[in-house]
Amino acid sequence: MTDTSALRARNADFWAQAAPGWITHADWHDEVGRPLGAAALDWLRLRPGERVLDVGCGCGGATAELAAAVAPSGSAVGLDLAAAMVAAARARFAAPGLRYLVGDIETLDRVPGAPFDAVHSRMALMLFADPVAGLTTIRRSLRTGGRLAATVFRDGGANPWLPAAMLGAAPFLGAMPPLPIGDEPGPFAFADPARVTRLLTAAGFTDVAVVAQDVALEPPEDPEAVAAWLIEIGPAGAAYRAALPSAQKSARAGAARLLERFRTAGNGYRLPAGCWLITATTPEPARGQE
Ligand SMILES: C[S@@+](CC[C@H](N)C(=O)[O-])C[C@H]1O[C@@H](n2cnc3c(N)ncnc32)[C@H](O)[C@@H]1O
């Protein structure tokens, strides 16, 4: 197993390289990807005036929704490792009380703006190189009795479309980044709910619950566009952008072929996404604790 600092550097590299794809497809992703975070947003039941943090905010769409939920007197902070995505988020959304910050949740003591009433995270916790460190920063950034709601992917079987774009595109492209092994950061690193519970408990959370949520992404019936989106936001994104237009075209066609089984002609795509909704709260500090 690779050590944490190497995994952290790999994570930072991966997201710096993935950022251009996420930025290109940000509006599309906000729209099509909304079901991935809906359960966490619902569970938080945000109220006007609350302070909320969005961890791994990407290009900021969900954070802007959080800001709207706590308006007019509340505030929302989006935090992300990838500076280019944070710059895109700032350019895409502006509202009173809405801020985007660059930072690695694992290496911060507390997130600027803490204490927060609530923390939201969509598809990011499983990407931490050191999950207990990242979750501990989240816990420290919440007030006593604060609440966390996050969604992550379950396993590959529950998300069969996820590797399809990369597998279909790879034969036409250059080298891919290293694929995660076991618990290393990656889409399925939080597949085991017992491990997720252990990590949150080790980070000091209470009332931890991990509940299955089955949703579906339904992008428009446009095979070229769906292939380009899924290639560019995934591990093949950097190799795709570096490729000649003819190789890009073949890569899109290869990805579209493997995604075909998730399309019904005339009814569009249906990408089944099996997620965990992870919820927890912060306990009263014990005497002598931070
Ligand atoms: C799969 S993307 C999801 C983005 C966004 N939440 C969404 O659903 O559109 C995961 C995001 O988490 C960020 N991320 C990964 N590890 C992080 C860390 N340790 N600290 C802060 N952000 C991190 C990545 O840069 C990336 O933008």
Side-chain angles (χ1 to χ4, degrees), residues 11 15 22 29-30 54-59 62 79-82 85 103-106 121-124 126-129:
N11 198 26
W15 288 102
W22 282 76
H29 187 81
D30 280 350
D54 188 21
V55 175
C57 66
C59 296
L79 177 84
D80 204 283
L81 195 59
M85 288 206 230
D104 184 336
I105 191 77
E106 297 170 39
S121 181
R122 185 173 81 181
M123 303 296 143
M126 71 287 193
L127 304 169
F128 296 173

XYZ file of all heavy atoms in Angstrom, residues 11 15 22 29-30 54-59 62 79-82 85 103-106 121-124 126-129, ligand 1:
249
model
N -3.288 12.419 -5.462
C -4.634 13.008 -5.456
C -4.595 14.435 -6.009
O -5.402 14.816 -6.869
C -5.152 13.006 -4.000
C -6.661 13.164 -3.897
O -7.394 12.814 -4.815
N -7.126 13.701 -2.779
N -6.407 15.678 -9.535
C -7.464 16.687 -9.640
C -7.000 17.920 -10.399
O -7.806 18.572 -11.063
C -8.065 16.986 -8.266
C -8.880 15.795 -7.873
C -8.527 14.807 -6.988
C -10.121 15.375 -8.457
N -9.482 13.821 -6.983
C -10.473 14.139 -7.862
C -10.968 15.914 -9.409
C -11.640 13.451 -8.204
C -12.132 15.224 -9.759
C -12.458 14.019 -9.163
N -13.630 19.045 -15.855
C -14.745 19.418 -14.974
C -15.225 20.831 -15.303
O -16.424 21.105 -15.264
C -14.326 19.312 -13.501
C -14.334 17.886 -13.041
C -13.403 16.926 -13.330
C -15.349 17.236 -12.268
N -13.769 15.728 -12.780
C -14.944 15.877 -12.118
C -16.532 17.649 -11.680
C -15.728 14.952 -11.404
C -17.299 16.726 -10.957
C -16.894 15.401 -10.831
N -22.698 19.001 -15.863
C -22.505 18.128 -14.700
C -23.424 18.551 -13.546
O -23.999 17.692 -12.857
C -21.049 18.151 -14.263
C -20.764 17.145 -13.196
N -20.537 15.813 -13.466
C -20.729 17.252 -11.854
C -20.387 15.160 -12.339
N -20.488 16.008 -11.345
N -23.578 19.861 -13.347
C -24.477 20.316 -12.269
C -25.879 19.788 -12.499
O -26.558 19.356 -11.557
C -24.523 21.854 -12.224
C -23.308 22.424 -11.502
O -22.554 21.645 -10.881
O -23.108 23.648 -11.585
N -19.145 23.139 2.089
C -19.232 22.109 1.053
C -17.810 21.606 0.783
O -16.975 22.338 0.254
C -19.841 22.723 -0.217
C -20.156 21.687 -1.282
O -20.289 20.497 -0.947
O -20.289 22.096 -2.455
N -17.549 20.369 1.159
C -16.170 19.838 1.052
C -15.977 19.132 -0.290
O -16.759 18.251 -0.646
C -15.883 18.860 2.218
C -14.514 18.218 2.047
C -15.955 19.596 3.545
N -14.916 19.540 -1.010
C -14.674 18.999 -2.352
C -15.718 19.557 -3.301
O -16.404 18.810 -3.995
N -15.806 20.896 -3.344
C -16.936 21.562 -4.022
C -16.806 21.557 -5.534
O -17.753 21.922 -6.233
C -17.072 22.994 -3.512
S -15.655 24.047 -3.947
N -15.651 21.167 -6.079
C -15.488 21.164 -7.528
C -15.751 22.545 -8.103
O -15.257 23.559 -7.594
N -16.572 22.619 -9.144
C -16.843 23.902 -9.816
C -17.997 24.654 -9.168
O -18.529 25.609 -9.755
C -17.085 23.677 -11.299
S -15.626 23.017 -12.136
N -23.088 22.828 -6.334
C -23.833 22.429 -5.130
C -23.682 23.484 -4.041
O -24.633 23.766 -3.302
C -23.357 21.067 -4.636
N -14.996 24.411 -0.460
C -13.547 24.175 -0.335
C -13.137 23.101 -1.332
O -13.797 22.055 -1.430
C -13.217 23.687 1.071
C -11.740 23.332 1.288
C -10.935 24.582 1.634
C -11.572 22.292 2.384
N -12.070 23.339 -2.061
C -11.569 22.307 -2.976
C -10.060 22.436 -3.127
O -9.483 23.519 -3.065
C -12.237 22.402 -4.352
C -12.192 21.074 -5.098
O -11.108 20.729 -5.633
O -13.211 20.368 -5.118
N -9.485 21.256 -3.350
C -8.060 21.087 -3.586
C -7.595 21.730 -4.883
O -6.471 22.229 -4.974
C -7.898 19.569 -3.720
C -6.623 18.848 -3.653
C -5.987 19.112 -2.320
C -6.920 17.341 -3.784
N -8.441 21.692 -5.899
C -8.033 22.079 -7.257
C -8.268 23.569 -7.471
O -9.409 24.020 -7.587
C -8.811 21.255 -8.278
N -10.493 24.695 -10.367
C -11.942 24.505 -10.187
C -12.506 25.577 -9.267
O -13.616 26.075 -9.480
C -12.229 23.124 -9.609
C -12.001 22.018 -10.608
S -13.028 20.605 -10.182
C -11.831 19.321 -10.232
N -8.042 24.590 -0.823
C -7.390 23.972 0.327
C -7.579 22.471 0.331
O -8.528 21.953 -0.263
N -6.654 21.798 0.999
C -6.746 20.344 1.190
C -7.321 20.134 2.589
O -6.687 20.490 3.591
C -5.346 19.725 1.066
C -5.390 18.203 1.170
O -6.344 17.663 1.768
O -4.444 17.569 0.673
N -8.511 19.558 2.654
C -9.188 19.386 3.943
C -8.335 18.578 4.917
O -8.435 18.739 6.132
C -10.581 18.729 3.731
C -11.440 18.763 5.005
C -10.453 17.285 3.248
C -12.062 20.049 5.315
N -7.456 17.728 4.375
C -6.663 16.842 5.248
C -5.539 17.571 5.970
O -5.034 17.082 6.980
C -6.039 15.719 4.415
C -7.062 14.826 3.779
C -6.423 13.886 2.768
O -5.318 13.388 3.016
O -7.036 13.675 1.711
N -21.125 17.255 1.462
C -20.081 16.835 0.524
C -20.683 15.864 -0.474
O -21.393 14.938 -0.083
C -18.920 16.188 1.284
O -17.918 15.822 0.359
N -20.419 16.106 -1.748
C -20.963 15.233 -2.792
C -19.808 14.570 -3.524
O -19.014 15.223 -4.175
C -21.793 16.079 -3.768
C -22.510 15.269 -4.823
C -23.448 16.124 -5.644
N -22.771 16.845 -6.690
C -23.357 17.688 -7.544
N -24.646 17.934 -7.422
N -22.679 18.287 -8.483
N -19.683 13.267 -3.361
C -18.713 12.468 -4.117
C -17.275 12.946 -3.909
O -16.527 13.127 -4.866
C -19.044 12.496 -5.621
C -20.420 12.012 -5.949
S -20.627 10.278 -5.509
C -22.307 10.285 -4.940
N -16.890 13.164 -2.665
C -15.512 13.612 -2.409
C -14.834 12.863 -1.266
O -13.619 12.649 -1.320
C -15.488 15.118 -2.134
N -14.480 9.871 -0.399
C -13.745 8.630 -0.719
C -12.440 8.910 -1.445
O -11.674 7.983 -1.732
C -14.643 7.679 -1.532
C -14.937 8.107 -2.949
S -16.102 9.490 -3.048
C -16.522 9.453 -4.786
N -12.207 10.201 -1.733
C -10.995 10.558 -2.482
C -9.862 11.002 -1.563
O -8.761 11.291 -2.028
C -11.339 11.685 -3.472
C -12.492 11.318 -4.420
C -12.969 12.539 -5.179
C -12.071 10.220 -5.373
N -10.137 11.056 -0.264
C -9.107 11.528 0.664
C -7.973 10.508 0.781
O -8.217 9.303 0.925
C -9.679 11.746 2.065
C -10.721 12.835 2.166
C -11.420 13.019 3.354
C -11.001 13.686 1.110
C -12.382 14.014 3.480
C -11.958 14.687 1.217
C -12.651 14.842 2.409
N -6.736 11.012 0.783
C -5.571 10.146 0.965
C -5.542 9.595 2.391
O -5.201 8.442 2.622
C -4.295 10.929 0.672
C -15.739 13.815 -7.820
S -15.361 15.509 -7.609
C -16.924 16.129 -7.028
C -17.054 17.623 -7.126
C -18.394 18.194 -6.635
N -18.619 17.907 -5.231
C -19.530 17.675 -7.481
O -20.235 16.772 -7.029
O -19.705 18.168 -8.609
C -14.393 15.474 -6.118
C -13.785 16.797 -5.730
O -13.153 16.633 -4.462
C -11.953 17.395 -4.465
N -11.048 16.832 -3.440
C -10.467 15.604 -3.422
N -9.695 15.452 -2.333
C -9.783 16.616 -1.632
C -9.197 17.078 -0.422
N -8.364 16.312 0.276
N -9.497 18.338 0.003
C -10.340 19.133 -0.723
N -10.919 18.745 -1.890
C -10.649 17.498 -2.339
C -11.428 17.260 -5.883
O -10.516 18.288 -6.223
C -12.730 17.297 -6.699
O -13.056 18.595 -7.119
